[in-house]
Every structure is written in C-alpha cells, then in structure tokens.
C-alpha cells in the first residue's frame, strides 16, 4: 500500500463490524452512500477537492493536501486522478485488514469445498 500507509492517520477498522451487522448487500449500500457523500456532485467522482471539502465528516480535516492526493492516488486504478464508485469500494476493502482476512478465509473455504466436491473417482 504505497502512499496511503505512510500518510494516513491511524483509524479504527469498522468495516468488518459493518459487514457482520449489515450483511454483504447492506455493506455495499453503505459504501455507496459514503461515496455519494464524498463525491463531487457535478463530476460524479471523488476528487482531491471534494475529499478536502468533506474531510471533516470523516475526522480527516487535519490532513494536508499531499496526504489527500495520496489517498485518491492509492485507489485510482484507471489513472484519471479521481475515484469512481467501484474504485472507492475496492479501496475501502483494501484498507480494511479485518475484512480482507475474513474474505480470504471465506474464499479458501469455498475453494476447498469445490475441490472436495469435484474429487476425481
């Protein structure tokens, strides 16, 4: 996680709790709501400027401009300098070690079940 790990303040990882409470669909709905709250309403994406305007809602009002740029750059997979909704959701999952660990365990369990059910006779 180049960039974001060096500049972002410590935060409590609440995504696993939200996932457990809301379920998969509910979590995605809440992430979508978070995206809409942070996005530039005219552009439909999260820009450094829209993040800066809305940073106080996240308790990030003390972040410097270069730290906000790093946050956007960390999730910007298409290189357009902004985060679309999918990039935002992927970034939130990547920044949640607890959720990533749970996802990894679930994936391993599914793969093991598939291997066991397709055993060669």
């Amino acid at each position: 996680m180049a960039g974001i790990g060096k500049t972002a303040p410590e935060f409590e990882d609440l995504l696993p709790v939200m996932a457990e409470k809301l379920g998969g669909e509910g979590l995605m709905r809440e992430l979508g709501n978070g995206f809409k709250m942070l996005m530039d309403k005219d552009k439909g994406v999260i820009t450094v400027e829209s993040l800066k305007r809305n940073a106080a809602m996240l308790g990030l009002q003390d972040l410097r401009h270069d730290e906000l740029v790093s946050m956007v750059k960390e999730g910007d997979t298409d290189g357009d300098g902004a985060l679309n909704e999918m990039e935002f959701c992927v970034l939130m999952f990547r920044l949640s070690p607890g959720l990533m660990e749970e996802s990894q365990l679930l994936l391993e369990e599914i793969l093991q079940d598939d291997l066991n059910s397709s055993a060669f006779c």
Side-chain angles (χ1 to χ4, degrees):
M1 290 193 312
I4 195 88
K6 296 176 186 169
T7 59
E10 291 294 318
F11 69 97
E12 186 177 353
D13 184 8
L14 297 176
L15 237 45
V17 175
M18 289 175 63
E20 187 175 320
K21 233 179 172 184
L22 301 172
E25 286 182 31
L27 176 62
M28 293 308 293
R29 189 172 38 256
E30 285 305 308
L31 286 174
N33 291 338
F35 173 80
K36 290 176 183 124
M37 181 177 71
L38 296 172
M39 77 176 188
D40 179 304
K41 306 300 185 229
D42 295 327
K43 297 178 181 176
V45 293
I46 296 174
T47 63
V48 172
E49 294 76 23
S50 69
L51 188 56
K52 187 174 195 165
R53 268 194 311 274
N54 299 304
M57 286 187 272
L58 302 173
L60 302 174
Q61 63 274 8
D62 295 330
L63 288 180
R64 298 184 319 260
H65 181 77
D66 63 312
E67 293 171 322
L68 295 171
V69 169
S70 290
M71 290 177 78
V72 171
K73 190 179 282 190
E74 179 73 21
D76 181 19
T77 58
D78 62 11
D80 66 354
L83 300 177
N84 62 39
E85 190 168 2
M86 182 60 70
E87 290 170 327
F88 173 76
C89 290
V90 168
L91 180 62
M92 293 299 98
F93 274 85
R94 283 182 42 217
L95 294 178
S96 174
L99 200 56
M100 287 300 289
E101 185 177 308
E102 288 178 29
S103 299
Q104 179 71 26
L105 292 173
L106 181 60
L107 179 60
E108 288 173 7
E109 185 179 310
I110 291 169
L111 290 173
Q112 190 61 47
D113 287 348
D114 282 351
L115 285 173
N116 292 339
S117 67
S118 64
F120 295 99
C121 298

